Amino acid sequence: MSKMIFSLLVENEAGVLSRVAGLFSRRGYNIDSLSVGETENPGESRMTIVTSGEEEVLEQIEKQLNKLIDVKEIVALPDASVCRELILVKVGVPMEERQQVISIADIFRAKIVDVAQDSLMVELTGNDSKLEAFIRLLAPYHILSLARTGITGLMRG
């Protein structure tokens, strides 16, 4: 099973996200992650969809997305593309262990964005392997909650 990242340039109007998501659900395809945002042109949005499946299924998904009237451009991002994701991690950590979590955050160039009596919230941006490594190192400190934005990316050059 392969993973594919599709970058779609779509019309920035109501219902586009619903139509794209509907295409996936009608055909029984899964969306691993989805991020959408307005581009430099207010009339367009960039939609990044991560999905997985057999090679034939991924080709079929690309063909079906191309048929949608709201889709202006679709690119299957190659491995050499720049892809990033943002996570926020709330870690339950007592005062005496706080410095260890801060040190891990420093190693990954993460930011401490909130400090409470018994927890820290850390923000980190990077590729999937960096984020997974960071989460594994924080696991012993009791992760209270975690939020991920989903991958967004562009081709190089």
Side-chain angles (χ1 to χ4, degrees):
M1 190 174 298
S2 301
K3 185 179 269 194
M4 181 69 70
I5 302 172
F6 293 107
S7 179
L8 285 70
L9 194 59
V10 298
E11 297 286 339
N12 187 11
E13 59 185 41
V16 174
L17 177 60
S18 177
R19 286 188 283 282
V20 170
L23 180 146
F24 277 79
S25 67
R26 281 191 306 277
R27 288 166 177 75
Y29 304 144
N30 188 42
I31 296 175
D32 296 335
S33 85
L34 171 69
S35 66
V36 185
E38 193 175 271
T39 66
E40 69 283 355
N41 176 353
E44 298 174 338
S45 289
R46 170 100 31 214
M47 188 178 293
T48 307
I49 302 171
V50 180
T51 189
S52 52
E54 300 301 324
E55 204 60 40
E56 308 83 46
V57 171
L58 296 173
E59 288 174 18
Q60 189 64 29
I61 290 171
E62 186 172 4
K63 289 176 185 175
Q64 294 296 322
L65 287 169
N66 255 325
K67 289 182 182 180
L68 293 176
I69 194 146
D70 302 309
V71 176
K72 294 180 165 188
E73 176 186 306
I74 180 170
V75 176
L77 294 179
D79 290 339
S81 300
V82 176
C83 295
R84 297 290 183 267
E85 184 175 7
L86 169 79
I87 62 170
L88 292 173
V89 185
K90 189 175 186 180
V91 184
V93 59
M95 288 285 201
E96 58 272 6
E97 296 178 7
R98 192 162 283 187
Q99 189 54 49
Q100 293 142 320
V101 173
I102 293 170
S103 294
I104 293 169
D106 287 344
I107 291 167
F108 283 85
R109 290 187 236 157
K111 296 178 190 171
I112 307 297
V113 293
D114 184 57
V115 178
Q117 189 68 29
D118 55 357
S119 68
L120 293 173
M121 189 179 306
V122 185
E123 171 189 314
L124 177 64
T125 304
N127 61 28
D128 191 52
S129 61
K130 178 180 180 180
L131 301 182
E132 291 301 326
F134 183 68
I135 292 167
R136 278 194 306 275
L137 286 175
L138 289 182
Y141 297 100
H142 188 61
I143 295 175
L144 298 172
S145 55
L146 180 117
R148 297 179 83 138
T149 60
I151 293 172
T152 190
L154 291 172
M155 281 194 342
R156 292 184 184 273

